[in-house]
Amino acid sequence: MSVSSILAETGTVTRFAGRVFREGFRPRFEVQELLYQCYVIGYQSLPLVGLTGFIMGLVLTLRLRPTMVQFGADSWIPVMVGMTIIQEMGPIITGLMVAGKVGSNIGAELSSMRVTEQIDAMSVSGTNPFKYLVVTRVLAATLMVPVLTVLSDAIGLFAAYVGINTNGVTTVALFTNQIVARLTFGDVLPAVIKTFFFGFAIGLIGCYKGYYADKGTEGVGRAANSAVVAGSLAVFLLDLLAVLISSLLGLY
Amino acid sequence: MLPAPTPAPPAAPTANPAEAVLTIANVSLAFGENHVLQDFSLTLLRGENIVVMGKSGAGKSVLIKCVIGLLQTDSGTITVLGQDVAALDHNGLDRLRTKLGFLFQSNALYDSMTVRDNLLFPLRRQWLTHTPAQEAELVKQALEDVGLADTAAKMPAELSGGMRKRIALARTLILRPEIILYDEPTTGLDPITGREIDHLIREVQKKYNTSALIISHDLACVRLTADRVALLSEGRCYAEDTYAGMQANADPQVHDFFV
């Protein structure tokens, strides 16, 4: 892929995002479809995101423990694991899991609807397909990824507590106090805010790839695949951007 | 088959039978260097079925997508029920589409919805209000019209090709359109199912006094459904006549289609 084609694609996606905002603020509002998409994107992704969050918390704790014990800093494990999960691992892992599950789902669904003329059928039925299909999915992803991240963080912290207790006894109060005492708004707020952008990017890219898919079954596969790849890459790029902005603002 | 529906306005059976419900005047459309339509003109009268024939890729599907406003023409005018399609805003186009039905070649049934929800979708999206009882009656009647009364709870994937075509027609009929646009209604169906669809098209025409623009190159379909036949060639209406007239036409381009 040449630089010019990447820039051209970025321009097209930006215009697509502009249309999402334009159409999103104009009635009629597709509230019922939005709620359904929140259910699909949020609730149905919860088992996957929860499981990965649990494994992430447990593995981090078990891997960190020998090193921390070596330096006599095992009492710092809750803080280190907590900070890592809340600031980076929780948002990133959740973003990647949602990009994989939801991004591919949106890309494949919309592209197959395009191929089988279902999107045209919606237009003929007096429905604005962009508003009904794209705006609702982008908004649902934007709202649900932060919720999933917070839940994944909580499950990850619980797993960290379980991990610590495999080698000794730590009370829930002590574990919680150690994390909460070290956390500031500067730690939590940027981590939560960036997940809104993760969700927006995942929804937007999935919809863009699906809505403008090539005709034919090959186009469906390509749309699903590129939605995952581009969505995951967007999560990393936005995370890098969030870290740079937080550093510039002196939040870290 | 069934009593007339109560909620939706029926097609106007008392209107002047010679009234033009669709006028396509000097329409041109090009995709890059590919001039699909060039100065194409055709008039559809109330209660009439016109079949547009042409080679694959001649622009037949493009033509009916222009009629329903899915594609914009480069020049010329398309007047549907007295309204210039190009001059309508989004809401105006939506209102006009309540009087137009479109049967897609691929049926375009919503995979994720049951047959009932597929039929209710256009009903609930349009500028019409119905009570749940009226909705249920309309769904029942539309399904009975196409002979599939017991499929309401099924998913499209559970139906055969012919059944999907009938359900797509039922979804079109539920809004009681005055004009129906059929895009290759029998393509991909076996001859027997194809003929059933042809007869259904005729039944719908008689029962609801609809006019239809049918895209097809299935000769049996053309013979059974057409009041008039138009041949689309090189972007324009090359010939226009009854089926018998076209069959008797000695012009090689026309004759080749009817061999």
Side-chain angles (χ1 to χ4, degrees):
Chain A
M1 224 179 172
S2 66
V3 175
S4 61
S5 67
I6 291 173
L7 288 175
E9 183 94 351
T10 310
T12 318
V13 175
T14 309
R15 276 201 300 278
F16 190 76
R19 193 176 164 196
V20 170
F21 283 109
R22 270 199 315 279
E23 303 257 11
F25 286 110
R26 204 183 295 158
R28 125 191 208 179
F29 301 110
E30 305 286 357
V31 179
Q32 202 177 349
E33 180 64 11
L34 173 67
L35 293 175
Y36 177 67
Q37 288 306 322
C38 285
Y39 167 78
V40 171
I41 295 171
Y43 183 75
Q44 292 190 349
S45 302
L46 190 56
L48 182 70
V49 168
L51 182 66
T52 49
F54 186 87
I55 294 170
M56 173 184 67
L58 195 61
V59 168
L60 261 179
T61 310
L62 296 177
R63 296 289 290 174
L64 204 59
R65 187 178 172 81
T67 315
M68 297 298 273
V69 168
Q70 212 172 351
F71 290 103
D74 44 342
S75 63
W76 281 79
I77 294 174
V79 180
M80 287 206 65
V81 173
M83 289 289 222
T84 310
I85 287 174
I86 290 168
Q87 288 186 329
E88 277 306 318
M89 295 304 282
I92 281 281
I93 297 287
T94 306
L96 290 178
M97 294 314 292
V98 174
K101 183 180 184 296
V102 174
S104 63
N105 191 14
I106 293 175
E109 185 186 14
L110 263 54
S111 55
S112 68
M113 287 183 80
R114 167 70 67 196
V115 169
T116 54
E117 296 179 303
Q118 290 176 52
I119 292 180
D120 284 343
M122 277 194 178
S123 297
V124 171
S125 298
T127 300
N128 178 343
F130 194 90
K131 199 185 271 284
Y132 189 84
L133 297 171
V134 176
V135 173
T136 53
R137 280 162 177 75
V138 174
L139 190 56
T142 309
L143 295 174
M144 286 300 107
V145 171
V147 174
L148 287 169
T149 304
V150 171
L151 292 171
S152 167
D153 288 353
I155 294 168
L157 291 176
F158 170 72
Y161 175 74
V162 172
I164 288 170
N165 276 279
T166 55
N167 290 296
V169 178
T170 306
T171 62
V172 176
L174 180 62
F175 179 82
T176 314
N177 280 341
Q178 277 200 315
I179 296 174
V180 172
R182 301 289 304 177
L183 279 179
T184 63
F185 268 113
D187 297 322
V188 179
L189 220 54
V192 173
I193 289 171
K194 71 183 175 188
T195 57
F196 283 96
F197 290 92
F198 289 179
F200 180 77
I202 292 164
L204 185 80
I205 291 168
C207 288
Y208 171 76
K209 294 289 183 187
Y211 203 73
Y212 293 120
D214 299 330
K215 292 265 179 179
T217 46
E218 200 184 335
V220 176
R222 207 169 19 237
N225 181 268
S226 53
V228 178
V229 174
S232 306
L233 187 63
V235 167
F236 279 112
L237 289 174
L238 285 169
D239 192 53
L240 175 65
L241 200 64
V243 170
L244 291 175
I245 292 171
S246 300
S247 297
L248 283 173
L249 294 174
L251 292 172
Y252 289 159
Chain B
M1 277 186 233
L2 279 166
T6 42
T14 52
N16 176 7
E19 175 200 358
V21 288
L22 166 66
T23 311
I24 303 167
N26 310 108
V27 163
S28 297
L29 175 63
F31 297 110
E33 293 299 304
N34 183 15
H35 295 272
V36 182
L37 299 174
Q38 295 187 74
D39 222 20
F40 184 93
S41 297
L42 189 70
T43 301
L44 176 70
L45 303 178
R46 186 172 293 281
E48 182 186 37
N49 280 0
I50 293 185
V51 176
V52 178
M53 298 181 77
K55 288 181 186 169
S56 296
K60 306 184 293 295
S61 296
V62 166
L63 176 70
I64 54 171
K65 284 185 176 172
C66 289
V67 171
I68 204 150
L70 286 173
L71 290 172
Q72 306 268 313
T73 57
D74 293 338
S75 63
T77 53
I78 296 177
T79 311
V80 180
L81 299 167
Q83 298 185 77
D84 180 358
V85 174
L88 292 172
D89 62 6
H90 193 78
N91 289 342
L93 201 55
D94 278 353
R95 284 173 200 274
L96 179 64
R97 282 169 174 168
T98 60
K99 299 170 188 166
L100 278 174
F102 195 115
L103 187 73
F104 287 86
Q105 187 178 349
S106 60
N107 306 322
L109 294 175
Y110 306 121
D111 300 328
S112 56
M113 299 181 196
T114 61
V115 167
R116 179 184 291 105
D117 290 339
N118 262 282
L119 265 63
L120 286 175
F121 190 86
L123 209 57
R124 289 179 175 167
R125 308 300 303 181
Q126 295 287 3
W127 304 79
L128 310 163
T129 48
H130 298 97
T131 63
Q134 286 173 326
E135 285 182 348
E137 178 56 30
L138 283 169
V139 169
K140 182 170 163 270
Q141 189 173 340
L143 288 176
E144 281 177 0
D145 282 347
V146 297
L148 291 173
D150 55 346
T151 55
K154 291 193 171 171
M155 300 298 286
E158 297 174 63
L159 306 173
S160 69
M163 289 164 92
R164 280 202 288 271
K165 188 67 78 183
R166 284 165 179 268
I167 297 298
L169 183 56
R171 186 176 65 180
T172 305
L173 289 177
I174 203 161
L175 288 173
R176 298 288 179 273
E178 293 182 42
I179 304 170
I180 304 182
L181 309 170
Y182 296 90
D183 190 1
E184 312 243 8
T186 55
T187 299
L189 300 176
D190 64 86
I192 295 166
T193 312
R195 295 310 69 83
E196 286 172 4
I197 298 294
D198 296 336
H199 290 300
L200 201 54
I201 291 172
R202 276 296 193 195
E203 277 177 33
V204 166
Q205 181 195 16
K206 280 183 202 151
K207 183 174 178 185
Y208 296 113
N209 191 33
T210 55
S211 314
L213 193 61
I214 303 163
I215 301 299
S216 182
H217 41 55
D218 172 3
L219 271 187
C221 170
V222 179
R223 183 169 49 79
L224 288 168
T225 60
D227 297 315
R228 269 194 298 152
V229 182
L231 180 64
L232 171 60
S233 178
E234 292 164 5
R236 62 196 180 86
C237 187
Y238 186 81
E240 189 186 328
D241 206 339
T242 60
Y243 182 83
M246 291 292 262
Q247 222 177 5
N249 196 320
D251 186 301
Q253 272 213 56
V254 180
H255 183 258
D256 286 352
F257 267 94
F258 291 86
V259 176

